[in-house]
Amino acid sequence: MNPDLLEQKQKTEATLKSIKNLPLIPKVVFNVTKLLNDQAVSTTALTNEIGKDQGLTAKVLSISNSPLYGLQRKVTSLEFAIIVLGSKEISDIVTAISLADVMKFTNDKYFNQDEFLAHSLLVGTASKNICQTLGYFDIGSDAFVAGVLHDIGIQILYKFFNTQFKLVVNLVKEKKIKFALAEKEIFGLTHQEVGKFLGDKWNLPGSLVDVLNYHHNPGISNNNKAIPAIVHLADFMTQKFQIGGFYWDEGIELDESVIEILKFEKMDGLESFIKNYQDLYYQSAAASRY
């Protein structure tokens, strides 16, 4: 690595390690997990715990009714959502939303929290849907959580490195380069590596940390490559279709390793698969009320 970039990376890592107020896992996640550990837990108890947060409840219902989430019936209440989806799936949704929404700050021209969350939830629901379509039924919930959280490193950079964050945006505009290159120049590392740092601090599963670290280049991930590949594909399609994207992904390129990882018949098979998702993305973006 270039000595200057290495020095910049070491400075960024040192700053990350010194931050005293990094976000903690929200209390609702612990409470819901604790309830689920009790096999006798009732739907009413779960409904009451999640229902304490009206914003969280609204997002759970919005996700449940997303065309990409794939339910065949309208979900009109939190209690009905728990009955239809099951407690484990509801727990995954609550965990993903709570972690994605853990950092609060005021919108400005550099970061719109609502757009960011809408993008995250779209990638999450699309990732789950892709799992179902391709037959990866055992990792659908994991892919959903990973999809929702994939860009959390961007939030960390904005909140704790705000001056440098703005330098990255300005550098992209001035030099007409991609955000990943600008991140490297300013921070010495990318939002993927920052996401991995937070994932490790939260003791998230290795497969999820891999998505945080490799969602732009799943071919080099360490654990279950299918999950990073699926999240990468869902993320790529937001830019491909110009639906529900976040500007930090502008110019994102498809990592063609997904062809082999997800067992597509060459590029033609993947392109056909992507094309079939365009209407679902439009419908989900139009129906979302995140």
Side-chain angles (χ1 to χ4, degrees), residues 208-229:
L208 178 49
V209 174
D210 253 17
V211 173
L212 301 181
N213 199 17
Y214 299 115
H215 58 272
H216 288 306
N217 40 12
I220 61 174
S221 60
N222 301 313
N223 292 292
N224 186 339
K225 290 181 184 291
I227 300 178

Side-chain angles (χ1 to χ4, degrees), residues 8-19 161 197:
Q8 205 54 42
K9 178 181 179 181
Q10 291 171 339
K11 285 182 179 179
T12 302
E13 290 175 336
T15 301
L16 281 170
K17 291 174 183 176
S18 70
I19 295 173
F161 299 85
F197 174 85

Side-chain angles (χ1 to χ4, degrees), residues 12 16 152-154 156-157 161 189-199 213:
T12 302
L16 281 170
I152 200 164
I154 298 176
I156 294 289
L157 292 176
F161 299 85
L189 40 69
T190 70
H191 70 273
Q192 296 185 105
E193 295 162 279
V194 175
K196 178 185 183 303
F197 174 85
L198 184 60
N213 199 17

Side-chain angles (χ1 to χ4, degrees), residues 260-277:
E260 181 179 354
I261 295 170
L262 300 179
K263 300 178 175 60
F264 284 104
E265 295 256 348
K266 301 183 180 179
M267 180 58 80
D268 288 347
L270 177 57
E271 288 177 346
S272 177
F273 180 86
I274 290 172
K275 185 177 180 180
N276 288 334
Y277 264 88

Side-chain angles (χ1 to χ4, degrees), residues 13-86:
E13 290 175 336
T15 301
L16 281 170
K17 291 174 183 176
S18 70
I19 295 173
K20 303 299 183 186
N21 57 337
L22 274 173
L24 302 175
I25 293 180
K27 186 177 179 181
V28 66
V29 175
F30 286 111
N31 291 346
V32 169
T33 301
K34 184 178 179 181
L35 283 173
L36 290 175
N37 286 335
D38 178 2
Q39 295 187 354
V41 66
S42 67
T43 299
T44 301
L46 276 175
T47 300
N48 290 341
E49 179 59 40
I50 298 169
K52 292 175 183 177
D53 186 330
Q54 292 185 343
L56 175 61
T57 298
K59 292 183 180 75
V60 169
L61 293 177
S62 183
I63 289 169
S64 301
N65 288 306
S66 166
L68 275 168
Y69 208 76
L71 291 182
Q72 300 301 310
R73 61 184 81 181
K74 180 79 171 177
V75 176
T76 56
S77 70
L78 183 57
E79 187 169 15
F80 187 51
I82 294 171
I83 293 170
V84 172
L85 295 173

Side-chain angles (χ1 to χ4, degrees), residues 38-263:
D38 178 2
Q39 295 187 354
V41 66
S42 67
T43 299
T44 301
L46 276 175
T47 300
N48 290 341
E49 179 59 40
I50 298 169
K52 292 175 183 177
D53 186 330
Q54 292 185 343
L56 175 61
T57 298
K59 292 183 180 75
V60 169
L61 293 177
S62 183
I63 289 169
S64 301
N65 288 306
S66 166
L68 275 168
Y69 208 76
L71 291 182
Q72 300 301 310
R73 61 184 81 181
K74 180 79 171 177
V75 176
T76 56
S77 70
L78 183 57
E79 187 169 15
F80 187 51
I82 294 171
I83 293 170
V84 172
L85 295 173
S87 56
K88 171 64 169 65
E89 198 153 338
I90 283 292
S91 176
D92 289 334
I93 293 175
V94 168
T95 297
I97 295 172
S98 300
L99 294 181
D101 208 22
V102 74
M103 281 173 280
K104 304 292 187 183
F105 33 73
T106 304
N107 292 341
D108 62 21
K109 68 177 184 178
Y110 292 95
F111 199 102
N112 185 301
Q113 180 109 316
D114 298 327
E115 289 179 4
F116 179 84
L117 185 59
H119 167 71
S120 300
L121 294 176
L122 179 60
V123 172
T125 51
S127 296
K128 184 177 188 299
N129 191 285
I130 291 170
C131 284
Q132 294 170 331
T133 302
L134 294 179
Y136 291 95
F137 302 110
D138 57 329
I139 61 172
S141 292
D142 292 339
F144 169 77
V145 176
V148 173
L149 297 179
H150 73 286
D151 272 339
I152 200 164
I154 298 176
Q155 289 180 295
I156 294 289
L157 292 176
Y158 177 82
K159 185 172 180 66
F160 297 103
F161 299 85
N162 194 262
T163 299
Q164 297 97 311
F165 185 98
K166 293 173 182 176
L167 289 176
V168 169
V169 176
N170 294 331
L171 189 62
V172 168
K173 291 179 180 178
E174 291 167 7
K175 291 191 174 182
K176 309 298 182 186
I177 61 176
K178 294 175 182 175
F179 278 92
L181 289 177
E183 286 175 336
K184 280 284 188 183
E185 186 167 333
I186 300 298
F187 294 107
L189 40 69
T190 70
H191 70 273
Q192 296 185 105
E193 295 162 279
V194 175
K196 178 185 183 303
F197 174 85
L198 184 60
D200 287 338
K201 193 163 186 71
W202 279 346
N203 292 316
L204 297 179
S207 59
L208 178 49
V209 174
D210 253 17
V211 173
L212 301 181
N213 199 17
Y214 299 115
H215 58 272
H216 288 306
N217 40 12
I220 61 174
S221 60
N222 301 313
N223 292 292
N224 186 339
K225 290 181 184 291
I227 300 178
I230 286 167
V231 172
H232 172 72
L233 187 54
D235 194 24
F236 170 77
M237 284 194 278
T238 65
Q239 290 296 315
K240 171 76 173 177
F241 304 143
Q242 292 295 289
I243 302 168
F246 190 67
Y247 78 100
W248 212 261
D249 280 335
E250 287 176 5
I252 184 177
E253 294 181 358
L254 178 69
D255 181 348
E256 294 186 8
S257 70
V258 302
I259 297 172
E260 181 179 354
I261 295 170
L262 300 179
K263 300 178 175 60

